Amino acid sequence: MRFIFKVLFWVMAIVGILATISHFSGSEPPPLGDRVGVLKVSGFIADAEESVKALDYFRENSDVKAVIVRVISPGGVIAPSQEIRDAVKRTAEAKPVIASFGAVAASGGYYLSAPATRIIADPGSITGSIGVIMQFPEYEVLLDKIGMRTRTLKSGPFKDTGSPMRQMTDAEKAVMQSVVDDLFAQFVDVVAEGRKMDRAKVLALADGRIYSGRQALGLGLVDELGGFDAAVRAAGTLAGLGENPRLERWKRKRDGVLPLLLGSEDADAVGNVAAPLTASPARYLLSGW
């Protein structure tokens, strides 16, 4: 029994040391010399802090001559998508930024990529979905069937807009539609600015539909077809480092033991699945990008 306790003690000590090292790691040990930074934005976009931190680091590091933003995301919450987009724009003003689309880079995933110096997508990448959606469940019919009622006290007529306990009034619909319209206008403006496209042309494409990478190329939403290797070659060439530059991949800071035990890819999966489930109801309802 004493032997088992000793083994458990040393196992926990090693895990603690590894967790501490993981906590303080933000990027892999960078290669020496000029290089290209790589940031991966994957899954549901619920928080921008880590991506903004990575982009600021790459922008301010004089040895990083270009940046690749690898996007594999169907979109997410609006404000975090905007924050990452702003960081991409700041970085692109200082050095080349290549947006590389994986399986899907739609809605918020496309929004944050719009200011990139160049966008490269696989022919089969799913992109587009330029638009905004709000959804509000209603349980009124179900509550009627089980004989349940709610009583609401509120400070103003719109404070419980979107409550699932009752139907939305026409006035409430008008208020929420005005918010959707404004957010949509912001999306269109960002795409028009980033892609240097006429706003009317963007509006014609922005009906919420998705496009394949090949369709997006023909419509001017992306610049080139190819995978991550093509993005590396483009970044290296634009940075004057040749087609096979050194890469510095940003690694998200891990807290706790679970991500360590699962490994980086599985830890990403856990975070991506949990993000929309742990978001507040208001944020989730606004997850239309």
Side-chain angles (χ1 to χ4, degrees), residues 46-69:
D47 183 74
E49 183 178 358
E50 194 70 21
S51 295
V52 171
K53 184 190 303 182
L55 289 165
D56 287 345
Y57 164 77
F58 286 140
R59 184 181 70 255
E60 295 167 2
N61 191 321
S62 60
D63 291 332
V64 175
K65 302 302 183 181
V67 179
I68 298 172
V69 181

Side-chain angles (χ1 to χ4, degrees), residues 15-285:
V15 169
I17 292 171
L18 291 175
T20 302
I21 294 172
S22 176
H23 176 78
F24 288 105
S25 64
S27 170
E28 291 179 330
L32 297 177
D34 295 341
R35 53 194 181 270
V36 170
V38 179
L39 167 66
K40 183 178 181 182
V41 179
S42 63
F44 183 90
I45 301 169
D47 183 74
E49 183 178 358
E50 194 70 21
S51 295
V52 171
K53 184 190 303 182
L55 289 165
D56 287 345
Y57 164 77
F58 286 140
R59 184 181 70 255
E60 295 167 2
N61 191 321
S62 60
D63 291 332
V64 175
K65 302 302 183 181
V67 179
I68 298 172
V69 181
R70 177 68 168 171
V71 184
I72 308 174
S73 172
V77 185
I78 293 171
S81 301
Q82 291 179 320
E83 290 184 56
I84 300 173
R85 175 263 176 187
D86 292 344
V88 169
K89 182 180 179 183
R90 290 194 300 270
T91 305
E93 290 170 350
K95 58 190 66 176
V97 176
I98 307 299
S100 170
F101 290 175
V104 57
S107 201
Y110 185 77
Y111 181 96
L112 68 88
S113 306
T117 309
R118 185 177 298 178
I119 299 178
I120 300 177
D122 281 304
S125 296
I126 299 301
T127 188
S129 189
I130 300 171
V132 180
I133 182 173
M134 287 187 184
Q135 292 181 316
F136 302 93
E138 291 185 358
Y139 304 139
E140 185 181 27
V141 175
L142 174 63
L143 296 178
D144 283 342
K145 289 182 178 180
I146 62 177
M148 182 177 176
R149 290 287 182 271
T150 62
R151 295 289 181 265
T152 302
L153 304 177
K154 52 187 179 181
S155 59
F158 298 106
K159 187 58 182 176
D160 66 336
T161 298
S163 168
M165 304 305 179
R166 62 175 179 79
Q167 290 186 9
M168 191 179 293
T169 67
D170 289 340
E172 290 171 331
K173 290 177 183 177
V175 169
M176 301 314 291
Q177 186 62 54
S178 70
V179 174
V180 169
D181 292 343
D182 181 68
L183 294 172
F184 175 65
Q186 295 178 42
F187 201 156
V188 171
D189 289 342
V190 163
V191 175
E193 177 188 348
R195 298 301 301 162
K196 297 178 174 57
M197 293 172 63
D198 183 76
R199 196 175 190 276
K201 182 177 179 180
V202 177
L203 279 171
L205 302 175
D207 57 5
R209 76 181 68 186
I210 60 172
Y211 303 99
S212 70
R214 188 165 69 176
Q215 289 176 319
L217 177 65
L219 296 170
L221 294 175
V222 306
D223 299 298
E224 182 182 334
L225 296 181
F228 182 74
D229 288 345
V232 171
R233 291 193 296 271
T237 300
L238 289 175
L241 303 178
E243 294 189 347
N244 188 29
R246 297 183 181 91
L247 300 180
E248 179 180 357
R249 298 176 185 268
W250 180 267
K251 292 293 185 181
R252 187 189 307 174
K253 216 164 40 174
R254 310 288 178 195
D255 293 321
V257 175
L258 180 60
L260 266 168
L261 298 179
L262 289 175
S264 61
E265 291 303 319
D266 288 336
D268 277 337
V270 170
N272 293 336
V273 169
L277 300 180
T278 56
S280 69
R283 291 176 65 194
Y284 184 68
L285 290 171

